[in-house]
Each structure stands twice: as C-alpha cells, then as structure tokens.
C-alpha cells in the first residue's frame, strides 16, 4: 500500500508510540524516506512529545504580570512619540 502524506500524519503518533502494525510501520518509513514534509512533521511531533513528556511546567515568577505591566507603562512614558528636542540632532 502506498501512503500519501495524510495517511502518514494519521499514523505518526502510532509510529512514535511504536504501536503500528509492522506492515504499516514499514510503509510509513518508506514514505518518510522520500518525503521531506512528513519527515519534518515527524521531527516536530517528536520534539513536542519530548518537551511535554516529563511534566515540566514553566511557572512565571510571582508578580510577573504586575511588573510587566508597570514596566510597559514606564517605557511608554519614557519614550515620547513626539519629542521636539530629538529633531534638532547635535545640539
Ligand atoms: Zn509525506
């Protein structure tokens, strides 16, 4: 059986989990050998699995949101959009 890309995408999670029928697995591997798109999809899917597999959670520091907003407000104050002094160049 010749698989097209859509078939392969359906099989990718099974492929990574090693739960595919041996024949299907062989067909998927055959497709991956010549299809750059599916190889890339396989790679990125595998990367996502690696990233999410160990239950790592990235927590923001306490008060991060408040500090971020305060910083943004400060930057907007410190960065005038219409500053007459900057128009003159060397002064
Ligand atoms: Zn493909």
């Amino acid at each position: 059986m010749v698989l097209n890309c859509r078939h392969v995408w359906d099989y990718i999670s099974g492929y990574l989990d090693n739960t595919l029928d041996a024949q299907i697995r062989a067909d998927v591997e055959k497709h991956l050998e010549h299809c750059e798109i599916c190889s890339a999809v396989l790679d990125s899917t595998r990367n996502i699995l690696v990233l999410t597999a160990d239950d790592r959670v990235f927590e923001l520091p306490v008060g991060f949101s408040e500090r971020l907003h305060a910083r943004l407000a400060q930057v907007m104050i410190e960065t005038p959009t219409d500053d007459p002094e900057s128009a003159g160049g060397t002064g």
Side-chain angles (χ1 to χ4, degrees):
M1 171 179 174
V2 176
L3 300 176
N4 66 29
C5 293
R6 282 211 169 275
H7 292 136
V8 172
W9 299 344
D10 283 344
Y11 290 136
I12 272 179
S13 62
Y15 180 83
L16 290 171
D17 287 343
N18 224 349
T19 56
L20 290 184
D21 189 88
Q23 181 58 53
I24 294 173
R25 188 177 180 82
D27 287 339
V28 169
E29 280 176 345
K30 206 187 296 177
H31 182 101
L32 288 168
E33 277 175 19
H34 67 80
C35 182
E36 288 182 20
I37 298 169
C38 290
S39 299
V41 171
L42 177 69
D43 273 353
S44 42
T45 306
R46 188 190 278 133
N47 286 342
I48 290 167
L49 286 177
V50 169
L51 283 174
T52 55
D54 60 1
D55 289 330
R56 256 184 298 181
V57 177
F58 298 94
E59 286 187 38
L60 294 173
V62 175
F64 177 85
S65 180
E66 285 82 358
R67 289 207 301 275
L68 176 65
H69 282 277
R71 181 86 182 108
L72 285 173
Q74 196 182 3
V75 168
M76 291 209 257
I77 292 166
E78 289 175 353
T79 312
T81 51
D82 186 18
D83 181 2
E85 286 181 11
S86 67
T90 54

